[in-house]
Amino acid sequence: MTTAVKATNVHWHEGDLTRAERFGALKSRGATLWFTGLSASGKSTIAAALEQVLVTRGVHCYRLDGDNIRMGLNKNLGFSAEDRAENIRRIGEVAKLFADAGVVALTSFISPYRKDRDLCRDLHAKATGGALPFLEVFVDTPIGVCEQRDPKGLYKKARAGQIKGFTGIDDPYEAPENPELVLRPATMSVADSVAACLRLLESRGILG
Ligand code: ADP
C-alpha cells in the first residue's frame, strides 16, 4: 500500500544545524533498535530492561511500545493488513525523528510483515542529513513458548476465535532475512539479551 499524500506545497525546512554538530554537542548518537517478533516473544521485556541500562549509563534513549502507541498516536488504527502497515509506517517515521534528534529509539512492535519493516529501514537510510542506523533485532521465540507464556491471554482468545487475524495463529509472521541481531529468549536470559543488544550498539559506535 502506498500512503496517500494529502499535504501539498509542503517543503522540508532545513535548519542550519548539521547532524554532526547536534550529535557532537549532545555527545550522543541517534539510532533505532527495531525489535520484531511474535506477541509474547519478549520484545517489550527486553527493550524495557535495555532502556533501564542505557538510561543508567546516561544514554538518551526512549522506548516506543506497541500498546502505548496504539493508545495515543495510532488509536485510530486497527489490525487489518492496511492498518498494520500504517501503524508501522508511522512508528518508523517517529523512530527516525527520535534517532535524528540523537536519541536511541527502542521500538517493540510485532511488525509481522517484511515489507513494512523494510520500509522503515528505507526511511532511515534516506533520512535528510544522512542515513541513520536502523538495527533490526529479531526476537526469535517459538510460538509454543509464546503461547505458554501468554501474559495477556491473547493466544487463548485467538485460539477460541475471539480475536481474528492474530499473528502466528491466523495471520502470518514473516521472519527477518538479514536482521542485525537474533535473540532467542527461550534459551537466553533477559540479561543475556540486553548484553547482546549493548554489544551491537557498541560495535556500531552508537555508545560512547
Ligand atoms: P512482547 O513485547 O514480545 O509481546 P512481552 O515482553 O510483553 O512480549 O512478554 C514476554 C513474556 O515472557 C513476559 O511475561 C516475560 O516476563 C516472559 N519471559 C520469560 N523469560 C523471558 C526471557 N528470557 N526474555 C524475555 N521475556 C521473557
Side-chain angles (χ1 to χ4, degrees):
M1 185 196 74
T2 49
T3 310
V5 178
K6 294 185 183 166
T8 55
N9 294 314
V10 177
H11 303 276
W12 184 269
H13 188 100
E14 198 82 62
D16 293 331
L17 189 64
T18 66
R19 169 90 49 72
E21 280 173 329
R22 184 193 303 279
F23 286 9
L26 298 175
K27 296 186 179 41
S28 68
R29 280 202 55 193
T32 294
L33 212 55
W34 187 279
F35 291 88
T36 172
L38 294 170
S39 177
S41 58
K43 302 179 295 298
S44 299
T45 304
I46 295 163
L50 177 62
E51 182 183 39
Q52 186 88 45
V53 174
L54 288 173
V55 167
T56 305
R57 282 173 61 163
V59 178
H60 197 183
C61 73
Y62 193 71
R63 198 161 49 85
L64 300 168
D65 189 88
D67 285 358
N68 301 0
I69 295 280
R70 280 188 178 277
M71 286 169 81
L73 178 68
N74 290 354
K75 65 178 171 191
N76 62 333
L77 299 175
F79 291 89
S80 66
E82 196 175 81
D83 278 6
R84 279 179 192 257
E86 178 60 9
N87 181 46
I88 296 305
R89 186 193 70 80
R90 287 186 200 172
I91 289 147
E93 292 281 7
V94 172
K96 183 189 77 177
L97 292 175
F98 271 88
D100 189 35
V103 177
V104 176
L106 309 175
T107 68
S108 48
F109 299 85
I110 299 173
S111 45
Y113 308 139
R114 206 170 284 138
K115 72 168 173 25
D116 296 343
R117 296 191 305 263
D118 287 348
L119 182 138
C120 295
R121 182 182 285 278
D122 205 44
L123 288 175
H124 285 69
K126 293 184 180 144
T128 311
L132 288 159
F134 178 89
L135 308 171
E136 200 171 350
V137 180
F138 177 26
V139 183
D140 187 9
T141 308
I143 190 159
V145 175
C146 297
E147 205 165 344
Q148 221 166 14
R149 289 181 182 162
D150 206 10
K152 300 175 199 155
L154 297 177
Y155 284 95
K156 203 163 167 232
K157 279 192 184 164
R159 290 282 183 208
Q162 290 161 11
I163 306 177
K164 297 278 176 232
F166 195 75
T167 302
I169 306 289
D170 57 351
D171 210 65
Y173 177 77
E174 298 170 359
E177 281 166 345
N178 289 303
E180 275 73 12
L181 182 64
V182 180
L183 301 175
R184 296 200 165 82
T187 54
M188 288 168 83
S189 67
V190 176
D192 289 343
S193 291
V194 168
C197 293
L198 290 172
R199 280 196 299 275
L200 173 65
L201 290 169
E202 274 157 11
S203 75
R204 301 298 171 111
I206 292 157
L207 302 185

